[in-house]
Amino acid sequence: MFGVNHRVILDMDYKELLKKARANLPVKKGDARFEMPRASVLITGRLTTVKNFSDLAKILRRDAKHVSKYLFKELAVPGDIKGGELVLQGKFSSSVINGKIENYAEEFVYCHECGKPDTVVVKTDRIEQIKCEACGARRPARHI
Ligand SMILES: [Zn+2]
């Protein structure tokens, strides 16, 4: 009986220690960022297609619709998601698209406290927040 309890306590202590050890590690902003894949952009006539759009959204761990809404607003053009590709009704270079996606990640993905991309969107009442799974920080997400 004693042995079991003792082990549980030790286990808890170990986890606490680990937590403290992690918390004391110096966090440099920009560390542990994921490798941002470049958007694969194709311009045909007056349309711009982001070929790997659903993959990009998956890596950002955000709803593709949310990312597309951001791009429509930022680029001031309408568009559609078709079979994992994003079609924008306008001509945009790959550097413009990639720049916007980086801005999106800055605003909606990276934690502003620790700089890690391990965040999720949580909804409380009607307010959406970006919650960091690494450090626990929360901040409101702008409604777009
Ligand atoms: Zn964080």
Side-chain angles (χ1 to χ4, degrees):
M1 206 53 193
F2 173 75
V4 172
N5 283 337
H6 192 60
R7 195 179 300 155
V8 169
I9 290 161
L10 271 179
D11 210 19
M12 276 175 63
D13 281 347
Y14 179 68
K15 274 181 192 155
E16 274 305 306
L17 276 174
L18 210 66
K19 223 170 152 183
K20 275 182 193 152
R22 281 206 192 111
N24 288 332
L25 283 174
V27 179
K28 211 173 82 190
K29 238 187 166 179
D31 264 1
R33 294 197 159 202
F34 42 54
E35 195 67 37
M36 271 282 286
R38 305 285 296 168
S40 161
V41 176
L42 184 75
I43 301 169
T44 39
R46 281 189 223 157
L47 301 176
T48 303
T49 305
V50 182
K51 308 284 283 175
N52 56 344
F53 189 69
S54 65
D55 291 337
L56 284 169
K58 246 177 243 167
I59 289 160
L60 295 169
R61 290 165 71 200
R62 290 297 178 270
D63 185 8
K65 280 188 185 155
H66 189 255
V67 186
S68 70
K69 212 170 151 189
Y70 177 86
L71 292 176
F72 299 154
K73 282 214 166 177
E74 285 289 315
L75 301 167
V77 292
D80 270 309
I81 299 173
K82 283 178 193 162
E85 299 182 349
L86 177 73
V87 181
L88 295 159
Q89 296 191 17
K91 283 165 86 171
F92 303 100
S93 69
S94 116
S95 66
V96 167
I97 302 286
N98 280 301
K100 293 294 178 195
I101 291 171
E102 274 162 31
N103 291 347
Y104 176 90
E106 278 303 329
E107 183 169 359
F108 294 101
V109 183
Y110 291 124
C111 173
H112 288 182
E113 295 299 320
C114 72
K116 287 184 181 159
D118 314 320
T119 61
V120 287
V121 179
V122 288
K123 212 166 183 176
T124 43
D125 295 322
R126 274 183 221 157
I127 303 155
E128 279 190 341
Q129 292 187 310
I130 313 283
K131 187 191 169 203
C132 178
E133 291 179 321
C135 78
R138 279 174 187 246
R139 63 186 159 89
R142 180 168 64 97
H143 184 75
I144 55 165

